[in-house]
Amino acid sequence: MRIYFEKIPEEGLEINFSDNFETSESVFNINSFNGTIYAVNENFILTGNLNITIEDSCDRCLKKFKEDIDEKILIEIVKESSAEAEAEEIELKDEDMGLYFVREEYIDMEEIISQEAVLLRPVKRLCSQDCKGLCPICGTNLNEETCSCKQETDDRWADLKKLLENKNRNEV
Ligand SMILES: [Zn+2]
Ligand SMILES: [Zn+2]
């Protein structure tokens, strides 16, 4: 879905959009984006409500689960014209506002919304806050059953766990 800048009226243009896409790790369902795009000076502001469902694997038990996220988004769209855009980028250091640069005469809704959706994916992905994870010895999903392994704390596992957690963090 392309929104051409020249077609955006003064009072703003209402946008209702849905989509779905996947990355190597997750499935993103954009259930709805209901918002408006406004022309502001040389640039544009896209604002509205983004409702998505992300299907991910739990970091602890590896089970697939779905998470619903409902967020208001606010994105400034800057028409890129070389040096000018760079100056703007420094100027617009508003933490709450996303920035999106375009060279074309339109914005691509699939692209801009998928970017936002990926940003909303939680860093820590848990099927539930108290997920017990897998037994490190036999691999039993401890949310579903208990196993008879001796659950003694072994330092080697603690180190490995820390290592894996760091690795996960770096991959984000
Ligand atoms: Zn889990
Ligand atoms: Zn076990």
Side-chain angles (χ1 to χ4, degrees), residues 18 67 73 78 144-145 150:
S18 62
E67 184 158 14
I73 59 167
V78 179
E144 289 165 357
E145 45 190 313
K150 258 196 246 164

Side-chain angles (χ1 to χ4, degrees), residues 8-166:
I8 298 171
E10 219 169 303
E11 66 273 20
L13 181 71
E14 198 184 308
I15 300 171
N16 297 300
F17 175 78
S18 62
D19 188 24
N20 50 70
F21 66 98
E22 42 192 282
T23 63
S24 55
E25 293 184 315
S26 335
V27 178
F28 290 83
N29 285 302
I30 313 291
N31 304 318
S32 64
F33 171 74
N34 301 312
T36 313
I37 185 164
Y38 301 97
V40 180
N41 302 326
E42 296 288 284
N43 300 322
F44 299 87
I45 301 275
L46 178 67
T47 174
N49 206 73
L50 182 58
N51 183 284
I52 58 179
T53 303
I54 306 176
E55 197 180 317
D56 251 315
S57 303
C58 175
D59 286 345
R60 283 186 200 151
C61 71
L62 310 178
K63 221 179 156 175
K64 284 214 185 314
F65 72 102
K66 286 181 179 173
E67 184 158 14
D68 295 316
I69 297 171
D70 197 74
E71 277 285 326
K72 284 210 166 20
I73 59 167
L74 180 62
I75 303 165
E76 168 138 20
I77 296 156
V78 179
K79 284 171 84 175
E80 196 161 19
S81 50
S82 61
E84 211 180 285
E86 271 171 55
E88 290 260 16
E89 195 166 10
I90 299 157
E91 227 174 273
L92 295 163
K93 276 272 155 98
D94 188 337
E95 295 281 323
D96 295 328
M97 197 187 289
L99 265 185
Y100 185 80
F101 293 92
V102 280
R103 286 204 176 80
E104 299 84 7
E105 286 307 305
Y106 59 84
I107 55 162
D108 183 325
M109 284 303 290
E110 278 84 359
E111 193 181 310
I112 195 165
I113 294 298
S114 64
Q115 239 178 53
E116 286 299 303
V118 167
L119 286 173
L120 290 173
R121 182 178 178 233
V123 177
K124 199 112 189 93
R125 293 169 295 270
L126 298 176
C127 63
S128 79
Q129 282 306 314
D130 50 4
C131 171
K132 297 191 190 85
L134 304 177
C135 166
I137 298 159
C138 71
T140 293
N141 184 341
L142 299 173
N143 299 310
E144 289 165 357
E145 45 190 313
T146 48
C147 60
S148 49
C149 299
K150 258 196 246 164
Q151 292 290 349
E152 52 194 36
T153 324
D154 185 327
D155 282 338
R156 283 175 307 164
W157 284 116
D159 286 347
L160 181 64
K161 227 182 127 201
K162 218 177 280 168
L163 212 81
L164 286 172
E165 266 170 16
N166 283 336

